[in-house]
Amino acid sequence: MARNKKSAAQGIRADGNHHTPGAQAPAGNGDSLDYSEAGSADGGEPAAVPALLLDAHDGAGERLDRFLARHLPQFSRSRLQRWIALGAVYSDDRVLAAKTRLAGNERIVVEPQPLEADRAFQPEPVPLDVVDEDPRLIVLDKPAGLVVHPAAGNWSGTLMNGLLHGWRELAALPRAGIVHRLDKDTSGLMVVARDEATRVALIGQLADRSMSRRYLALALGAAPVSGTVEAAIGRDGANRLRMAVVPPGRGRPARTDFRLLARGSLAGRAVSLLECRLHSGRTHQIRVHLASLGFALVGDALYGGLALGAIERQALHAWRLGLADPVDASPRRWQALPPPDLCAAIAGAGIDLDAVLPDWLWSADE
């Protein structure tokens, strides 16, 4: 059974439900990277196969899938459909759906996927923790260790595979309705669209930064009371698995705000519990920005964070999510307490989590 969570949906406190995909959904009832901006989506090695660029000047009014089949006859229609479903076809940094009607002025990018990807878009009974669900969207509390989206080395057993098992209609949407991603070892809240109109609306909120995403991070060192990191992020030239703060011309703009909730000590080292707010969604953003200030996350070996206490992954949890309802624009808000490993690390640092967390009712500007 799922643990109890402090959750707020439309201002009402509610308990999370555990949902095993394949079972009937309850009645009535995702460090984050935005899928509002395409390319290098999963933060691993860049694609080895060069992207294909297509000018849609002769495709006005035509469906995307038919346009691709006409211009890329060397690939089967079914393979092109799978690439679309995996989010590997986009224009102006926006992922396109198969049924998208072209205007004729698009410059379409197609990222060919390896043969292993042909088996990626398959339903699998991956257990998922459902916080809230309605006919338009699903809010999940992702556990650490679960990969969100199939990619090299992880073509099965992902959160996307679980979504396809529990909600078969998601097969018609790019990335099964996933509009943002959490790193494998980051836990916390994600939202998934159940139809194309909702997917477009949520991507719009990510793009204009009106979707609110807040994280709890346990960082090494004595962090200041508050701060903002506004620095471009790009791939680290010395280590292709890492991202880094880079000059503006070499990376994408990124901004992270943070505020101190409490300081403590873990295994004789000073640590700080921070609440971080994203204003963009770059790969490893919070991890990179805090490490650039000298406050690497506990357990984040990739960015210099020491493993302290019992936690064996980066100490980062997406604990609050807020957005405008895609139909009536009313505020929708959820929150989820950290999982046991992070709670234990926070307690081991001498920090009383219940005493320092902001009140569960949100202010009007969130």
Side-chain angles (χ1 to χ4, degrees):
M1 297 296 292
R3 65 187 182 280
N4 289 330
K5 295 182 280 287
K6 283 199 286 188
S7 176
Q10 294 184 337
I12 301 174
R13 200 185 281 265
D15 290 327
N17 296 309
H18 185 76
H19 176 61
T20 300
Q24 185 174 355
N29 305 331
D31 175 43
S32 179
L33 179 135
D34 297 349
Y35 284 145
S36 59
E37 298 184 81
S40 242
D42 292 280
E45 287 285 332
V49 180
L52 305 174
L53 303 178
L54 300 174
D55 189 329
H57 69 277
D58 65 340
E62 190 173 8
R63 279 175 52 124
L64 173 70
D65 52 358
R66 294 171 184 166
F67 175 84
L68 293 183
R70 183 162 59 85
H71 282 268
L72 300 173
Q74 67 271 40
F75 302 112
S76 69
R77 287 176 178 262
S78 60
R79 196 169 189 204
L80 291 171
Q81 288 281 3
R82 284 190 286 271
W83 293 356
I84 295 170
L86 285 168
V89 180
Y90 52 92
S91 176
D92 293 328
D93 283 338
R94 298 298 177 92
V95 173
L96 301 176
K99 64 182 180 181
T100 300
R101 293 284 178 180
L102 299 176
N105 58 359
E106 296 90 348
R107 184 174 173 83
I108 298 171
V109 181
V110 180
E111 294 181 343
Q113 301 295 298
L115 289 173
E116 295 92 336
D118 292 353
R119 301 191 297 271
F121 214 74
Q122 299 295 324
E124 294 181 47
V126 178
L128 299 176
D129 190 351
V130 177
V131 174
D132 198 6
E133 179 181 2
D134 66 27
R136 296 178 298 280
L137 56 81
I138 305 160
V139 177
L140 303 172
D141 186 0
K142 186 190 87 69
L146 179 62
V147 174
V148 169
H149 187 265
N154 294 286
W155 293 115
S156 63
T158 69
L159 182 144
M160 191 188 83
N161 298 117
L163 287 171
L164 292 169
H165 189 273
W167 296 269
R168 299 301 175 99
E169 73 273 15
L170 297 182
L173 301 177
R175 293 192 173 105
I178 296 169
V179 295
H180 66 127
R181 181 183 67 82
L182 297 177
D183 292 335
K184 174 184 176 181
D185 290 327
T186 296
S187 55
L189 295 171
M190 291 181 56
V191 62
V192 177
R194 297 186 67 176
D195 58 59
E196 179 62 11
T198 300
R199 189 184 76 89
V200 171
L202 295 179
I203 286 175
Q205 292 183 45
L206 284 164
D208 67 16
R209 311 308 176 199
S210 60
M211 185 182 293
S212 177
R213 293 167 292 164
R214 299 198 178 219
Y215 294 71
L216 294 176
L218 189 63
L220 293 166
V225 172
S226 64
T228 292
V229 186
E230 193 155 12
I233 291 177
R235 196 165 295 277
D236 189 328
N239 182 342
R240 292 164 63 83
L241 296 179
R242 287 169 45 112
M243 307 301 286
V245 168
V246 297
R250 285 188 47 216
R252 295 190 175 195
R255 175 182 165 184
T256 305
D257 295 339
F258 67 89
R259 62 181 177 130
L260 179 70
L261 298 180
R263 295 193 183 103
S265 176
L266 194 58
R269 297 291 298 267
V271 295
S272 300
L273 180 62
L274 306 173
E275 185 188 48
C276 301
R277 182 177 183 180
L278 288 178
H279 293 269
S280 48
R282 309 306 178 206
T283 301
H284 301 176
Q285 178 173 322
I286 291 174
R287 299 162 65 188
V288 171
H289 274 173
L290 290 181
S292 74
L293 298 180
F295 305 118
L297 299 184
V298 170
D300 192 359
L302 187 62
Y303 293 102
L306 297 175
L308 303 177
I311 194 163
E312 297 180 352
R313 48 103 176 185
Q314 66 255 18
L316 186 63
H317 175 73
W319 91 288
R320 276 184 164 178
L321 175 68
L323 53 88
D325 186 273
V327 173
D328 62 14
S330 61
R332 304 286 300 275
R333 293 161 181 167
W334 302 268
Q335 62 188 42
L337 291 177
D341 65 339
L342 184 49
C343 283
I346 293 169
I351 298 171
D352 183 346
L353 187 62
D354 288 335
V356 302
L357 282 184
D359 190 87
W360 76 280
L361 289 175
W362 292 25
S363 62
D365 63 347
E366 295 186 77

